[in-house]
Amino acid sequence: MSEIAINDSIESQPDDELPSATTVALVQLALACGGFGIGTGEFAIMGLLPNVADTFSVTTPQAGYVISAYALGVVIGAPVIAVLAAKMARRTLLLTLMLIFAAGNISSAMAPTFETFTLLRFVSGLPHGAYFGVAALVAASMVPVHRRARAVGRVMLGLTVATLLGTPLTTFFGQSLDWQIAFFSVGMLGLLTVVLIWFYVPQDRVSEEASFLRELGAFRRPQVWLTLGIAAVGYGGMFAMFSYIASTTTQVAMLPETAVPIMLVLFGVGMNAGNFIGSWLADKSLLGTIGGSLVYNIVVLTTFSLTAANPYMLGLSVFLVGCGFAAGPALQTRLMDVAADAQTLAAASNHSAFNIANAIGAWLGGLVIAWGYGFAATGYVGAALSFLGLFVFAASARLERRAGA
């Protein structure tokens, strides 16, 4: 395999040194395949919890612990792996991460006990954040600077397409045949990604200055913390709404259970649209896209709460909330900029932040429901979180202006 340098800096390579469009497309396809497998594995379990509970003779809420175990793996794995693998070539790291992911999911399909299954879900979550962070860096380094966010968006397209195709398909076959098939299939997707990365992602050279101390330096930069804070707080609102969308559909809009998959598809379509539009906007204005998406989320999440009883408005709102994923590529690219020479840790930690947002949103949404405000009120929770995220964004923008003065 020929060697093409993958930069270890913020900037992409000079235009005359960039690989061909075909090479870039194949690399993005290989990396997106991994994102598709990770996204499918992360979300498929939500539709298979009752089946898992029956197999291991636990309650459905107890089975839900495996979701928390996976999320914990993401939160812990992203920064730890990024630091420990500081002197590893990015191609080698991607291959290693996908092998761990594949092994974790295939082993999950063969777990003999619930405790073992929960542990294996934790292991399967460990590569998640580091994979997306490193994949984003590789994709961005192979295109001109003004197209970085779109390159990142194409890698993340695997994750958004998973919500539209991978999750429904594996859930259907898992419910119809055996839930273990879902995790075995995800493991096979991981192995397919290993093959694609092996053939299409070019060799890269590790910077001589690379070290775990340099990566840890990312956490000495206030802008890194502020950007992660925007993701962890500002985008918890989407998860506050989405975590309870099934009950909102059946108990607020009074639709049959058969309407729930339709809502899930609408959300997935929205995520894909948001990823496409947000990537394009982020290449025009990173800060404008992040700030604008927070304001957008406040409006659409409030609309969700106000109109959830109307089936048509519920469907429209779910789609529009999904479009709020537009900030994903922008935040990932922003972290590359503010992390200076510690990009791997910062980029990987973005997905830890989004999993924290998932936990915060679901927890606060559940509190409001328990207090008697109803499922529709989760939109108000989301709007409040987006509003708090806007404050964090304002602090980041103010610091940016001071630095540029």
Side-chain angles (χ1 to χ4, degrees):
M1 176 182 294
S2 62
E3 181 176 280
I4 298 176
I6 297 177
N7 277 5
D8 194 42
S9 63
I10 299 172
E11 303 295 335
S12 302
Q13 302 175 59
D15 287 1
D16 58 351
E17 296 180 15
L18 291 172
S20 67
T22 301
T23 298
V24 172
L26 290 172
V27 169
Q28 291 175 352
L29 173 64
L31 298 176
C33 181
F36 181 77
I38 289 175
T40 301
E42 180 180 18
F43 295 116
I45 183 62
M46 297 176 184
L48 297 172
L49 280 182
N51 308 77
V52 172
D54 289 342
T55 297
F56 293 118
S57 300
V58 297
T59 66
T60 300
Q62 287 174 325
Y65 294 157
V66 301
I67 298 177
S68 301
Y70 183 93
L72 182 62
V74 178
V75 173
I76 293 176
V80 171
I81 292 173
V83 170
L84 294 180
K87 295 189 72 67
M88 184 180 291
R90 287 175 178 167
R91 177 177 179 272
T92 303
L93 179 55
L94 288 170
L95 289 168
T96 303
L97 292 171
M98 268 295 112
L99 283 171
I100 295 172
F101 176 77
N105 279 278
I106 293 172
S107 299
S108 294
M110 299 183 291
T113 66
F114 180 69
E115 290 75 18
T116 304
F117 181 64
T118 303
L119 176 62
L120 288 169
R121 295 318 298 153
F122 171 79
V123 171
S124 299
L126 290 173
H128 180 129
Y131 176 83
F132 277 113
V134 176
L137 290 171
V138 170
S141 71
M142 299 179 71
V143 298
V145 175
H146 64 279
R147 298 183 67 88
R148 289 178 307 155
R150 274 169 280 186
V152 172
R154 291 189 189 101
V155 172
M156 297 182 75
L157 187 64
L159 176 63
T160 57
V161 170
T163 65
L164 190 60
L165 296 177
T167 299
L169 285 174
T170 52
T171 301
F172 172 77
F173 286 111
Q175 291 174 338
S176 303
L177 302 174
D178 199 327
W179 64 264
Q180 285 93 340
I181 291 176
F183 292 102
F184 183 79
S185 300
V186 169
M188 290 297 102
L189 284 171
L191 292 179
L192 173 61
T193 303
V194 169
V195 173
L196 293 175
I197 290 174
W198 179 271
F199 281 105
Y200 297 129
V201 175
Q203 299 279 3
D204 60 293
R205 298 183 296 272
V206 182
S207 169
E208 294 181 0
E209 293 80 23
S211 70
F212 74 91
L213 288 177
R214 189 178 79 167
E215 289 299 329
L216 284 174
F219 288 149
R220 294 198 301 267
R221 298 180 173 88
Q223 284 287 19
V224 170
W225 284 109
L226 288 169
T227 305
L228 292 173
I230 294 170
V233 178
Y235 294 93
M238 179 172 65
F239 297 107
M241 181 282 294
F242 187 62
S243 297
Y244 303 98
I245 188 58
S247 297
T248 305
T249 301
T250 57
Q251 298 185 38
V252 179
M254 305 305 293
L255 292 169
E257 287 188 355
T258 52
V260 174
I262 297 175
M263 294 299 168
L264 298 179
V265 168
L266 287 172
F267 187 80
V269 172
M271 285 187 70
N272 280 276
N275 182 61
F276 177 79
I277 297 170
S279 300
W280 182 83
L281 290 174
D283 276 328
K284 306 298 180 183
S285 172
L286 271 180
L287 289 179
T289 301
I290 295 169
S293 67
L294 287 166
V295 175
Y296 168 87
N297 284 344
I298 293 171
V299 174
V300 297
L301 285 164
T302 301
T303 301
F304 169 86
S305 288
L306 291 172
T307 62
N310 183 300
Y312 298 103
M313 286 302 299
L314 176 63
L316 176 61
S317 295
V318 168
F319 166 77
L320 293 175
V321 172
C323 289
F325 189 76
L331 285 166
Q332 190 77 71
T333 307
R334 169 72 173 165
L335 281 168
M336 296 179 197
D337 288 345
V338 299
D341 56 358
Q343 293 181 66
T344 303
L345 176 58
S349 296
N350 186 42
H351 295 272
S352 293
F354 270 104
N355 272 268
I356 292 172
N358 190 348
I360 292 174
W363 174 62
L364 291 177
L367 280 181
V368 169
I369 295 167
W371 290 340
Y373 291 98
F375 292 102
T378 55
Y380 292 133
V381 174
L385 286 170
S386 296
F387 192 72
L388 288 175
L390 203 55
F391 272 98
V392 182
F393 169 78
S396 177
R398 187 161 52 247
L399 184 62
E400 181 98 346
R401 288 194 297 270
R402 288 179 182 174

